Amino acid sequence: MSNIIKCRAAVSWKAGEKLIIEEVEVSPPKSGEVRVKVVATGLCFSDIASISGKVRGKFPGIYGHEGSGIIESVGEDVTNLQPGDHVLIVFLPQCRKCRVCVAGVGNACLDFMKYGLTGLMKDGTSRITCRGQEIYNFMGTSTFTEYTVVSVNNCVKINPQAPLEKTCLLSCGVPTGYGGAINSAKVREGSTCAVFGLGAIGLATVMGCHAMKASKIVAIDINSDKFEIAKKLGATDCVNPKELDMPIADYLKKNFQGGVDFSFECVGLMETINQAFDSIIIGHGVCVLIGIAPSDKTINIVPVQLQVGKSVVGSFYGGYKTQDDIPRLVDQFVDGKLDLESFITHQMRLEDINDAIDLLKDGKCIRTVINL
Ligand code: CXF
Ligand code: ZN
């Protein structure tokens, strides 16, 4: 029988304010839930965007959604997980019961659509309090805390041999880009690719294009400091649009006989989306949207562009189904077939989380892993 656990967490009390390290109380898991001792968490740009209060954020809240950990206790009726299991904490559930999961084609489990952004558990309540106040969760995860409670559907059991301080990156950033190239685009051997934006997502996309044996991978960013790591992960060319005397799409059309076969937008800006679509070849070019763009903006496409064979596809979590596919990615990492280490440029303690946020905002890191 488990009880309330008191532990440290980084609490966001108000939109746009620095996180405060506090003592919080974490309730035992209810039916269909597990309590996890968080071992490590990455910091993803979606955390920063939400903490700023401009999108999705609920306050007071505990952010962080790229976590790994060990099950501490399980709620009633939980049979697939037990204390001691090593898990990844994922924002995208795979409930196996909703219409989308049952159909098995896409990965956007309706549990995420329904509960993912409420900041509360499925029963409409919170499991964490601080100074007597209920604390919202973030996308059903919350990993900037030593203990968290999540639905079993947001918890993926993984190979216990895998180092949790590295595999946490498989909870969001790396699969999102890697799968964008492999699953969503299905990049063909010998094809040409352009990747817009070289944060962790864009770099993982470069790695995915390389894994699919693309012949050319053009890595694009307005920060040329990103080019070294992009090359390490497989980029054949690196371009800073600021150094061109023409729009990047014109440059790609000029240098790739009318455009590239695949383009990937990993920024989430309308301007880069338009350039990414403009840069693909007529006939079969595919533009993959990975970056999360503002929800009040729409894409304008001249229909004939689609009729002549250009297409746009969206990609969410790299098209991976979390329960089915993420354990396999963990095994690939354990077998030395998937690079996660290159993405980890910094490691910090929870106390230094505000420094980690500043580093990412300033484009000075790829991923900082917080070890709890
Ligand atoms: C999220 C951002 C919020 C919508 C779902 C995808 N990406 C994770 O970083
Ligand atoms: Zn993320």
Side-chain angles (χ1 to χ4, degrees):
M1 177 61 194
S2 48
N3 252 314
I4 287 177
I5 290 179
K6 288 189 180 185
C7 68
R8 289 174 320 131
V11 177
S12 300
W13 287 103
K14 220 170 148 218
E17 287 189 357
K18 284 200 180 298
L19 279 54
I20 312 273
I21 305 297
E22 302 270 11
E23 183 179 85
V24 297
E25 298 85 38
V26 184
S27 296
K30 291 193 182 172
S31 168
E33 301 172 356
V34 292
R35 187 160 59 184
V36 185
K37 178 172 176 27
V38 181
V39 170
T41 177
L43 169 70
C44 170
F45 202 80
S46 304
D47 294 311
I48 296 184
S50 303
I51 290 165
S52 78
K54 290 181 197 127
V55 286
R56 298 180 293 270
K58 296 246 180 169
F59 302 89
I62 295 178
Y63 289 81
H65 64 280
E66 202 174 64
S68 60
I70 300 172
I71 301 281
E72 177 273 335
S73 60
V74 305
E76 201 181 293
D77 307 330
V78 173
T79 52
N80 62 326
L81 292 166
Q82 56 185 34
D85 282 350
H86 286 209
V87 294
L88 294 186
I89 301 162
V90 295
F91 72 86
L92 181 61
Q94 183 186 355
C95 75
R96 299 191 195 277
K97 290 194 186 100
C98 74
R99 175 151 149 61
V100 172
C101 285
V102 169
V105 183
N107 67 344
C109 171
L110 296 181
D111 259 21
F112 177 77
M113 304 299 154
K114 216 165 150 187
Y115 309 108
L117 301 176
T118 62
L120 296 167
M121 307 303 287
K122 276 196 208 179
D123 68 358
T125 63
S126 159
R127 296 290 166 271
I128 305 187
T129 60
C130 180
R131 298 177 187 270
Q133 262 182 272
E134 305 248 299
I135 306 293
Y136 286 108
N137 73 35
F138 183 49
M139 298 203 290
T141 56
S142 291
T143 57
F144 298 160
T145 170
E146 291 174 316
Y147 286 86
T148 191
V149 176
V150 301
S151 158
V152 286
N153 297 331
N154 291 80
C155 220
V156 179
K157 185 173 167 176
I158 60 165
N159 182 345
Q161 285 168 356
L164 293 167
E165 68 283 3
K166 291 180 180 151
T167 51
C168 60
L169 298 199
L170 291 172
S171 292
C172 182
V174 170
T176 295
Y178 195 61
I182 295 175
N183 305 319
S184 309
K186 300 186 173 60
V187 165
R188 290 181 298 277
E189 184 170 352
S191 61
T192 56
C193 299
V195 179
F196 290 73
L198 302 175
I201 309 290
L203 291 168
T205 304
V206 167
M207 186 166 76
C209 294
H210 181 68
M212 297 299 272
K213 304 193 171 71
S215 63
K216 286 280 179 190
I217 304 168
V218 186
I220 303 157
D221 203 293
I222 54 172
N223 177 357
S224 303
D225 293 346
K226 308 276 180 181
F227 294 165
E228 190 185 326
I229 175 166
K231 282 188 186 145
K232 186 176 173 206
L233 293 169
T236 57
D237 303 80
C238 293
V239 182
N240 184 335
K242 281 192 172 164
E243 291 167 6
L244 297 176
D245 54 7
M246 64 180 88
I248 179 71
D250 290 351
Y251 170 89
L252 292 167
K253 285 190 279 189
K254 189 171 150 212
N255 288 280
F256 290 88
Q257 302 164 11
V260 291
D261 299 313
F262 297 95
S263 71
F264 299 88
E265 203 280 346
C266 305
V267 186
L269 290 176
M270 299 321 288
E271 192 192 338
T272 36
I273 289 174
N274 290 330
Q275 289 292 313
F277 183 72
D278 197 20
S279 69
I280 52 174
I281 181 73
I282 281 169
H284 62 261
V286 181
C287 172
V288 185
L289 304 185
I290 301 178
I292 304 285
S295 51
D296 60 346
K297 296 279 193 307
T298 54
I299 307 174
N300 282 315
I301 292 177
V302 180
V304 77
Q305 295 273 314
L306 303 178
Q307 288 157 329
V308 295
K310 290 173 72 163
S311 61
V312 188
V313 303
S315 182
F316 192 53
Y317 210 116
Y320 289 113
K321 297 182 180 105
T322 46
Q323 302 289 343
D324 289 351
D325 300 328
I326 300 304
R328 282 203 284 267
L329 286 180
V330 171
D331 291 338
Q332 282 178 29
F333 169 68
V334 171
D335 295 343
K337 292 179 185 136
L338 180 68
D339 182 6
L340 297 179
E341 269 113 356
S342 294
F343 291 82
I344 304 173
T345 52
H346 299 74
Q347 301 200 51
M348 290 189 190
R349 301 168 311 149
L350 187 64
E351 282 74 9
D352 302 321
I353 189 148
N354 290 301
D355 297 339
I357 289 173
D358 289 343
L359 274 180
L360 188 56
K361 265 189 196 159
D362 297 343
K364 297 211 169 92
C365 66
I366 302 304
R367 272 297 191 255
T368 297
V369 169
I370 310 276
N371 294 300
L372 285 116

